[in-house]
Amino acid sequence: INSLCNMYIWKKISMKIIDGKKISNDVLDEIKNHVEDRVNNRKKVPHLAAILVGDDGPSQTYVNSKIRACERVGFNSSLFKFNDNINEDELLNEITKINENKEIDGFIVQLPLPSNIDQEKILTQVSPEKDVDGFHPFNYGKMTLGIDTFIPATPSGIVELIKRYKIDLSGKRCLVIGRSQIVGRPISILLSQNQSFANATVTVAHSRSKELETLCINSDLIVSAIGIPKFLKSRMVSDNSIIIDVGISRVDDETSSKGYKIVGDVDFEDFSQRDVMITPVPGGVGPMTISMLLKNTLKACELKDWLLNLIH
Ligand code: NAD
């Protein structure tokens, strides 16, 4: 009886994991099925390319996992690697070549770029039809207006988790911590839109925000995208909250062969006895980012089919 009671208590107060790895695998399986259908119907195999400038360790890791994911679903992929002494004009030229390459359906420019290169100029050079990261102002504007387009992969992955876990955000108080162009800003826009998965009342907090703890405790859903390890503590959130941890930070770890481990913005262990839903790091938003990038690439490929059909 004692152990049954313990189990009951444990069950009642342990946090629930939002399993991004599992959902990401489901999405990748679905994409793989689409690719197989395309091959059976003699349609083009989708092709994703990545531009990588310099030898930033995390950037190389991210690009490699994107290429591995392409292999898993049967996409073709290409990596265009450049030294960090490439200048802006040369890089713009390379992008034009990829824009014109009929074999490539979508491509990304892995960020960050070296400081001598104007990121905005580079991202604006990417052809909007191949902009599977959704960072071109044309696609970003469409997203803001709620028009169907390429949604940046990380916010798109968060939306997918919300949909697949059937989380009802209508009228709920959502706090987005961080206002970056790639995560905080777009997810705050998406969650406030008049869409079945959204309709939330969204607050955006950032480095200048005051009384963040009060904002946190009064929120039903918190999306944290700041990059400060273990920033969000259990005492800062209410019971039944949903916490989406976007942060990825490397912290020293002598027990790991690499000498570091990856942690999120959330002090995960601190939440173990709390009645909350939470995305772990790793295994939460990260894998979703990759699968949604591939979903955008499939969309780019299908868009091209559609355009070609119109011409013929
Ligand atoms: P960023 O690094 O460009 O900016 C950080 C943001 O956090 C800024 O808007 C800043 O105002 C805010 N901020 C900083 N300190 C704060 C504080 N004390 N209180 C409140 N706000 C504060 O943002 P980013 O590029 O969105 O990256 C954020 C984190 O998310 C990083 O750890 C990054 O590695 C990670 N990330 C993960 C994925 C993924 O796929 N999981 C994708 C992109 C970024």
Side-chain angles (χ1 to χ4, degrees):
I1 285 174
N2 242 353
S3 70
L4 272 177
C5 282
N6 283 344
M7 249 173 71
Y8 176 71
I9 291 165
W10 176 80
K11 259 194 153 168
K12 220 183 159 198
I13 55 171
S14 68
M15 63 176 161
K16 294 176 199 74
I17 298 293
I18 299 177
D19 191 345
K21 198 164 178 201
K22 187 208 169 282
I23 302 290
S24 169
N25 274 324
D26 293 348
V27 174
L28 291 176
D29 286 343
E30 290 160 17
I31 296 173
K32 191 167 183 248
N33 288 339
H34 273 280
V35 176
E36 282 167 7
D37 281 351
R38 290 184 66 83
V39 171
N40 291 338
N41 289 305
R42 296 172 190 280
K43 290 185 177 170
K44 185 183 173 300
V45 171
H47 187 150
L48 173 69
I51 292 182
L52 178 64
V53 182
D55 50 13
D56 175 58
S59 293
Q60 289 193 11
T61 311
Y62 295 144
V63 166
N64 288 341
S65 19
K66 288 166 189 173
I67 288 173
R68 272 202 309 278
C70 283
E71 284 162 10
R72 182 186 178 309
V73 300
F75 280 11
N76 292 327
S77 64
S78 304
L79 173 60
F80 296 87
K81 229 176 150 190
F82 304 104
N83 290 331
D84 55 10
N85 59 7
I86 189 170
N87 68 39
E88 201 174 274
D89 284 340
E90 288 167 332
L91 191 55
L92 288 169
N93 250 330
E94 294 296 337
I95 292 178
T96 305
K97 280 194 231 162
I98 302 177
N99 282 340
E100 288 166 359
N101 184 330
K102 290 199 166 52
E103 179 47 36
I104 294 170
D105 302 298
F107 70 101
I108 59 153
V109 181
Q110 185 64 44
L111 303 176
L113 290 168
S115 54
N116 61 316
I117 292 177
D118 181 345
Q119 184 174 299
E120 211 177 292
K121 222 167 161 181
I122 296 297
L123 296 180
T124 309
Q125 183 79 357
V126 175
S127 165
E129 308 89 72
K130 296 193 179 189
D131 172 38
V132 287
D133 252 343
F135 295 153
H136 190 288
F138 180 80
N139 289 322
Y140 212 88
K142 281 175 91 175
M143 174 200 66
T144 305
L145 293 168
I147 300 170
D148 184 36
T149 189
F150 302 114
I151 308 285
T154 305
S156 178
I158 296 171
V159 166
E160 199 66 24
L161 287 175
I162 289 167
K163 284 181 183 171
R164 297 207 185 205
Y165 273 83
K166 298 187 172 33
I167 294 168
D168 180 12
L169 291 183
S170 183
K172 300 276 171 66
R173 295 161 302 178
C174 294
L175 174 66
V176 176
I177 317 177
R179 56 180 165 186
S180 73
Q181 304 286 26
I182 61 169
V183 188
R185 179 75 52 208
I187 192 64
S188 68
I189 292 167
L190 293 167
L191 295 182
S192 68
Q193 279 174 341
N194 185 359
Q195 303 267 10
S196 54
F197 63 84
N199 283 311
T201 305
V202 179
T203 303
V204 183
H206 45 76
S207 51
R208 305 284 180 94
S209 297
K210 294 197 169 81
E211 297 173 13
L212 190 63
E213 295 214 7
T214 311
L215 293 173
C216 287
I217 206 104
N218 287 320
S219 299
D220 301 301
L221 176 129
I222 299 173
V223 178
S224 185
I226 58 178
I228 303 178
K230 301 189 175 190
F231 176 85
L232 198 72
K233 307 286 180 195
S234 166
R235 65 174 157 78
M236 293 163 72
V237 309
S238 298
D239 276 341
N240 299 314
S241 313
I242 299 159
I243 302 160
I244 310 285
D245 188 357
V246 184
I248 297 178
S249 303
R250 285 183 178 190
V251 295
D252 292 343
D253 179 17
E254 286 166 5
T255 63
S256 146
S257 57
K258 294 179 190 155
Y260 67 84
K261 65 174 176 179
I262 300 294
V263 298
D265 290 350
V266 173
D267 190 346
F268 194 73
E269 285 77 30
D270 199 29
F271 283 86
S272 58
Q273 303 295 306
R274 288 295 305 276
D275 195 2
V276 293
M277 280 178 93
I278 200 158
T279 60
V281 177
V285 176
M288 290 305 298
T289 296
I290 294 179
S291 52
M292 298 320 280
L293 172 69
L294 268 54
K295 206 167 174 183
N296 275 349
T297 307
L298 180 62
K299 188 184 176 97
C301 190
E302 286 174 344
L303 186 70
K304 207 162 82 183
D305 290 347
W306 182 77
L307 286 171
L308 286 172
N309 265 339
L310 275 186
I311 296 166
H312 291 122

mmCIF file of all heavy atoms in Angstrom, residues 62 154 177-180 182-184 205-207 212 225-228 231 246-249 265 285-286 289, ligand 1:
data_model
loop_
_atom_site.group_PDB
_atom_site.id
_atom_site.type_symbol
_atom_site.label_atom_id
_atom_site.label_comp_id
_atom_site.label_asym_id
_atom_site.label_seq_id
_atom_site.Cartn_x
_atom_site.Cartn_y
_atom_site.Cartn_z
ATOM 1 N N TYR A 62 25.597 21.791 -36.165
ATOM 2 C CA TYR A 62 24.207 21.959 -36.616
ATOM 3 C C TYR A 62 24.071 21.561 -38.085
ATOM 4 O O TYR A 62 23.134 20.855 -38.462
ATOM 5 C CB TYR A 62 23.748 23.419 -36.451
ATOM 6 C CG TYR A 62 23.693 23.881 -35.016
ATOM 7 C CD1 TYR A 62 24.027 25.181 -34.671
ATOM 8 C CD2 TYR A 62 23.299 23.021 -33.987
ATOM 9 C CE1 TYR A 62 23.993 25.613 -33.350
ATOM 10 C CE2 TYR A 62 23.261 23.448 -32.679
ATOM 11 C CZ TYR A 62 23.612 24.741 -32.360
ATOM 12 O OH TYR A 62 23.577 25.162 -31.053
ATOM 13 N N THR A 154 12.696 26.996 -36.058
ATOM 14 C CA THR A 154 12.548 26.816 -34.606
ATOM 15 C C THR A 154 11.140 27.192 -34.126
ATOM 16 O O THR A 154 10.482 26.370 -33.472
ATOM 17 C CB THR A 154 13.643 27.589 -33.841
ATOM 18 O OG1 THR A 154 14.915 27.159 -34.344
ATOM 19 C CG2 THR A 154 13.586 27.330 -32.359
ATOM 20 N N ILE A 177 10.416 34.859 -23.725
ATOM 21 C CA ILE A 177 11.596 35.568 -23.201
ATOM 22 C C ILE A 177 12.681 35.516 -24.279
ATOM 23 O O ILE A 177 13.144 34.438 -24.653
ATOM 24 C CB ILE A 177 12.118 34.940 -21.889
ATOM 25 C CG1 ILE A 177 10.973 34.579 -20.941
ATOM 26 C CG2 ILE A 177 13.092 35.899 -21.202
ATOM 27 C CD1 ILE A 177 11.422 33.897 -19.648
ATOM 28 N N GLY A 178 13.035 36.694 -24.780
ATOM 29 C CA GLY A 178 13.974 36.795 -25.912
ATOM 30 C C GLY A 178 13.224 37.363 -27.105
ATOM 31 O O GLY A 178 12.066 37.005 -27.335
ATOM 32 N N ARG A 179 13.898 38.248 -27.848
ATOM 33 C CA ARG A 179 13.216 38.906 -28.987
ATOM 34 C C ARG A 179 14.042 38.790 -30.261
ATOM 35 O O ARG A 179 14.048 39.700 -31.094
ATOM 36 C CB ARG A 179 12.937 40.372 -28.659
ATOM 37 C CG ARG A 179 14.192 41.142 -28.284
ATOM 38 C CD ARG A 179 13.918 42.589 -27.968
ATOM 39 N NE ARG A 179 15.054 43.187 -27.283
ATOM 40 C CZ ARG A 179 15.064 44.414 -26.787
ATOM 41 N NH1 ARG A 179 14.008 45.160 -26.890
ATOM 42 N NH2 ARG A 179 16.141 44.873 -26.184
ATOM 43 N N SER A 180 14.803 37.685 -30.405
ATOM 44 C CA SER A 180 15.636 37.548 -31.601
ATOM 45 C C SER A 180 14.772 37.372 -32.842
ATOM 46 O O SER A 180 13.619 36.938 -32.756
ATOM 47 C CB SER A 180 16.573 36.339 -31.463
ATOM 48 O OG SER A 180 15.837 35.147 -31.604
ATOM 49 N N ILE A 182 15.172 35.193 -35.038
ATOM 50 C CA ILE A 182 15.014 33.800 -35.470
ATOM 51 C C ILE A 182 14.123 32.978 -34.537
ATOM 52 O O ILE A 182 13.594 31.965 -34.942
ATOM 53 C CB ILE A 182 16.380 33.096 -35.668
ATOM 54 C CG1 ILE A 182 17.190 33.048 -34.375
ATOM 55 C CG2 ILE A 182 17.189 33.747 -36.755
ATOM 56 C CD1 ILE A 182 18.416 32.137 -34.486
ATOM 57 N N VAL A 183 13.953 33.431 -33.289
ATOM 58 C CA VAL A 183 13.094 32.654 -32.373
ATOM 59 C C VAL A 183 12.052 33.537 -31.665
ATOM 60 O O VAL A 183 10.847 33.428 -31.914
ATOM 61 C CB VAL A 183 13.911 31.897 -31.295
ATOM 62 C CG1 VAL A 183 12.981 30.963 -30.511
ATOM 63 C CG2 VAL A 183 15.067 31.096 -31.871
ATOM 64 N N GLY A 184 12.525 34.412 -30.784
ATOM 65 C CA GLY A 184 11.605 35.159 -29.911
ATOM 66 C C GLY A 184 10.559 35.941 -30.683
ATOM 67 O O GLY A 184 9.353 35.800 -30.449
ATOM 68 N N ALA A 205 9.348 39.459 -23.428
ATOM 69 C CA ALA A 205 10.322 40.020 -22.477
ATOM 70 C C ALA A 205 11.710 39.934 -23.094
ATOM 71 O O ALA A 205 11.959 39.105 -23.975
ATOM 72 C CB ALA A 205 10.276 39.230 -21.174
ATOM 73 N N HIS A 206 12.603 40.787 -22.643
ATOM 74 C CA HIS A 206 13.966 40.821 -23.195
ATOM 75 C C HIS A 206 14.907 41.330 -22.133
ATOM 76 O O HIS A 206 14.512 41.495 -20.965
ATOM 77 C CB HIS A 206 13.979 41.689 -24.462
ATOM 78 C CG HIS A 206 13.236 42.967 -24.302
ATOM 79 N ND1 HIS A 206 13.751 44.037 -23.611
ATOM 80 C CD2 HIS A 206 11.978 43.309 -24.673
ATOM 81 C CE1 HIS A 206 12.860 44.998 -23.602
ATOM 82 N NE2 HIS A 206 11.758 44.585 -24.236
ATOM 83 N N SER A 207 16.137 41.621 -22.541
ATOM 84 C CA SER A 207 17.165 41.964 -21.548
ATOM 85 C C SER A 207 16.842 43.247 -20.763
ATOM 86 O O SER A 207 17.366 43.448 -19.676
ATOM 87 C CB SER A 207 18.520 42.109 -22.240
ATOM 88 O OG SER A 207 18.393 42.976 -23.336
ATOM 89 N N LEU A 212 10.691 40.423 -14.370
ATOM 90 C CA LEU A 212 10.512 39.211 -15.177
ATOM 91 C C LEU A 212 9.891 38.076 -14.353
ATOM 92 O O LEU A 212 9.067 37.310 -14.851
ATOM 93 C CB LEU A 212 11.873 38.780 -15.751
ATOM 94 C CG LEU A 212 11.822 37.681 -16.788
ATOM 95 C CD1 LEU A 212 11.056 38.120 -18.023
ATOM 96 C CD2 LEU A 212 13.222 37.251 -17.195
ATOM 97 N N ALA A 225 14.011 31.803 -24.780
ATOM 98 C CA ALA A 225 15.011 31.771 -25.864
ATOM 99 C C ALA A 225 16.033 32.857 -25.589
ATOM 100 O O ALA A 225 16.068 33.889 -26.271
ATOM 101 C CB ALA A 225 14.330 31.973 -27.214
ATOM 102 N N ILE A 226 16.843 32.649 -24.557
ATOM 103 C CA ILE A 226 17.827 33.679 -24.202
ATOM 104 C C ILE A 226 19.267 33.165 -24.225
ATOM 105 O O ILE A 226 20.198 33.908 -24.445
ATOM 106 C CB ILE A 226 17.500 34.335 -22.835
ATOM 107 C CG1 ILE A 226 17.433 33.302 -21.702
ATOM 108 C CG2 ILE A 226 16.216 35.111 -22.915
ATOM 109 C CD1 ILE A 226 17.166 33.929 -20.334
ATOM 110 N N GLY A 227 19.474 31.887 -23.958
ATOM 111 C CA GLY A 227 20.842 31.348 -23.994
ATOM 112 C C GLY A 227 21.605 31.548 -22.697
ATOM 113 O O GLY A 227 22.831 31.617 -22.713
ATOM 114 N N ILE A 228 20.884 31.636 -21.569
ATOM 115 C CA ILE A 228 21.558 31.695 -20.262
ATOM 116 C C ILE A 228 21.272 30.368 -19.538
ATOM 117 O O ILE A 228 20.113 30.070 -19.232
ATOM 118 C CB ILE A 228 21.061 32.879 -19.405
ATOM 119 C CG1 ILE A 228 21.270 34.191 -20.160
ATOM 120 C CG2 ILE A 228 21.769 32.896 -18.044
ATOM 121 C CD1 ILE A 228 20.772 35.430 -19.425
ATOM 122 N N PHE A 231 18.620 29.438 -16.356
ATOM 123 C CA PHE A 231 18.090 30.750 -15.948
ATOM 124 C C PHE A 231 16.734 30.615 -15.244
ATOM 125 O O PHE A 231 16.471 31.243 -14.227
ATOM 126 C CB PHE A 231 17.950 31.613 -17.203
ATOM 127 C CG PHE A 231 17.320 32.961 -16.979
ATOM 128 C CD1 PHE A 231 18.093 34.034 -16.575
ATOM 129 C CD2 PHE A 231 15.963 33.154 -17.191
ATOM 130 C CE1 PHE A 231 17.512 35.290 -16.376
ATOM 131 C CE2 PHE A 231 15.375 34.396 -16.990
ATOM 132 C CZ PHE A 231 16.159 35.467 -16.583
ATOM 133 N N VAL A 246 14.081 26.819 -25.363
ATOM 134 C CA VAL A 246 14.763 26.901 -26.661
ATOM 135 C C VAL A 246 16.289 26.980 -26.481
ATOM 136 O O VAL A 246 17.052 26.604 -27.359
ATOM 137 C CB VAL A 246 14.251 28.133 -27.465
ATOM 138 C CG1 VAL A 246 14.880 28.174 -28.850
ATOM 139 C CG2 VAL A 246 12.737 28.102 -27.586
ATOM 140 N N GLY A 247 16.712 27.460 -25.339
ATOM 141 C CA GLY A 247 18.132 27.725 -25.097
ATOM 142 C C GLY A 247 19.032 26.513 -25.327
ATOM 143 O O GLY A 247 18.644 25.374 -25.055
ATOM 144 N N ILE A 248 20.200 26.788 -25.880
ATOM 145 C CA ILE A 248 21.227 25.751 -26.036
ATOM 146 C C ILE A 248 22.538 26.386 -25.585
ATOM 147 O O ILE A 248 23.026 27.316 -26.224
ATOM 148 C CB ILE A 248 21.383 25.296 -27.507
ATOM 149 C CG1 ILE A 248 20.090 24.660 -28.022
ATOM 150 C CG2 ILE A 248 22.551 24.325 -27.656
ATOM 151 C CD1 ILE A 248 20.161 24.228 -29.481
ATOM 152 N N SER A 249 23.086 25.900 -24.479
ATOM 153 C CA SER A 249 24.375 26.432 -24.005
ATOM 154 C C SER A 249 25.288 25.265 -23.684
ATOM 155 O O SER A 249 24.836 24.206 -23.237
ATOM 156 C CB SER A 249 24.178 27.270 -22.736
ATOM 157 O OG SER A 249 23.276 28.315 -22.956
ATOM 158 N N ASP A 265 17.842 26.891 -21.111
ATOM 159 C CA ASP A 265 17.630 28.064 -20.243
ATOM 160 C C ASP A 265 16.959 27.655 -18.939
ATOM 161 O O ASP A 265 16.884 28.448 -18.000
ATOM 162 C CB ASP A 265 16.686 29.060 -20.941
ATOM 163 C CG ASP A 265 17.329 29.746 -22.138
ATOM 164 O OD1 ASP A 265 18.548 29.604 -22.318
ATOM 165 O OD2 ASP A 265 16.591 30.427 -22.885
ATOM 166 N N VAL A 285 13.183 21.162 -28.333
ATOM 167 C CA VAL A 285 12.997 22.029 -29.501
ATOM 168 C C VAL A 285 14.068 21.773 -30.575
ATOM 169 O O VAL A 285 13.786 21.868 -31.772
ATOM 170 C CB VAL A 285 13.010 23.523 -29.053
ATOM 171 C CG1 VAL A 285 12.926 24.453 -30.250
ATOM 172 C CG2 VAL A 285 11.858 23.791 -28.092
ATOM 173 N N GLY A 286 15.286 21.425 -30.155
ATOM 174 C CA GLY A 286 16.396 21.229 -31.109
ATOM 175 C C GLY A 286 16.056 20.281 -32.248
ATOM 176 O O GLY A 286 16.137 20.654 -33.428
ATOM 177 N N THR A 289 13.546 21.640 -34.733
ATOM 178 C CA THR A 289 14.071 22.654 -35.655
ATOM 179 C C THR A 289 14.536 21.981 -36.946
ATOM 180 O O THR A 289 14.257 22.451 -38.050
ATOM 181 C CB THR A 289 15.241 23.408 -34.976
ATOM 182 O OG1 THR A 289 14.718 24.095 -33.852
ATOM 183 C CG2 THR A 289 15.892 24.405 -35.909
HETATM 184 P P1 NAD B 1 19.955 35.833 -29.188
HETATM 185 O O1 NAD B 1 21.115 35.111 -28.626
HETATM 186 O O2 NAD B 1 20.073 36.545 -30.477
HETATM 187 O O3 NAD B 1 19.403 36.894 -28.137
HETATM 188 C C1 NAD B 1 19.107 36.582 -26.831
HETATM 189 C C2 NAD B 1 17.817 37.256 -26.429
HETATM 190 O O4 NAD B 1 17.659 37.067 -25.030
HETATM 191 C C3 NAD B 1 17.805 38.753 -26.664
HETATM 192 O O5 NAD B 1 16.583 39.116 -27.293
HETATM 193 C C4 NAD B 1 17.886 39.381 -25.270
HETATM 194 O O6 NAD B 1 17.132 40.572 -25.162
HETATM 195 C C5 NAD B 1 17.307 38.275 -24.409
HETATM 196 N N1 NAD B 1 17.889 38.267 -23.067
HETATM 197 C C6 NAD B 1 19.206 38.156 -22.756
HETATM 198 N N2 NAD B 1 19.354 38.171 -21.413
HETATM 199 C C7 NAD B 1 18.129 38.281 -20.883
HETATM 200 C C8 NAD B 1 17.641 38.354 -19.558
HETATM 201 N N3 NAD B 1 18.442 38.320 -18.493
HETATM 202 N N4 NAD B 1 16.308 38.464 -19.372
HETATM 203 C C9 NAD B 1 15.480 38.497 -20.436
HETATM 204 N N5 NAD B 1 15.886 38.431 -21.717
HETATM 205 C C10 NAD B 1 17.203 38.342 -21.926
HETATM 206 O O7 NAD B 1 18.714 34.827 -29.256
HETATM 207 P P2 NAD B 1 18.524 33.502 -30.103
HETATM 208 O O8 NAD B 1 19.354 33.512 -31.315
HETATM 209 O O9 NAD B 1 17.059 33.355 -30.197
HETATM 210 O O10 NAD B 1 19.134 32.354 -29.157
HETATM 211 C C11 NAD B 1 18.663 32.155 -27.848
HETATM 212 C C12 NAD B 1 19.046 30.769 -27.377
HETATM 213 O O11 NAD B 1 18.331 29.819 -28.161
HETATM 214 C C13 NAD B 1 20.518 30.431 -27.556
HETATM 215 O O12 NAD B 1 20.911 29.590 -26.509
HETATM 216 C C14 NAD B 1 20.551 29.659 -28.861
HETATM 217 O O13 NAD B 1 21.639 28.768 -28.933
HETATM 218 C C15 NAD B 1 19.249 28.914 -28.772
HETATM 219 N N6 NAD B 1 18.670 28.494 -30.050
HETATM 220 C C16 NAD B 1 18.222 27.241 -30.102
HETATM 221 C C17 NAD B 1 17.618 26.775 -31.253
HETATM 222 C C18 NAD B 1 17.081 25.376 -31.278
HETATM 223 O O14 NAD B 1 16.888 24.822 -32.333
HETATM 224 N N7 NAD B 1 16.795 24.785 -30.123
HETATM 225 C C19 NAD B 1 17.518 27.608 -32.373
HETATM 226 C C20 NAD B 1 17.977 28.905 -32.279
HETATM 227 C C21 NAD B 1 18.546 29.368 -31.096
#
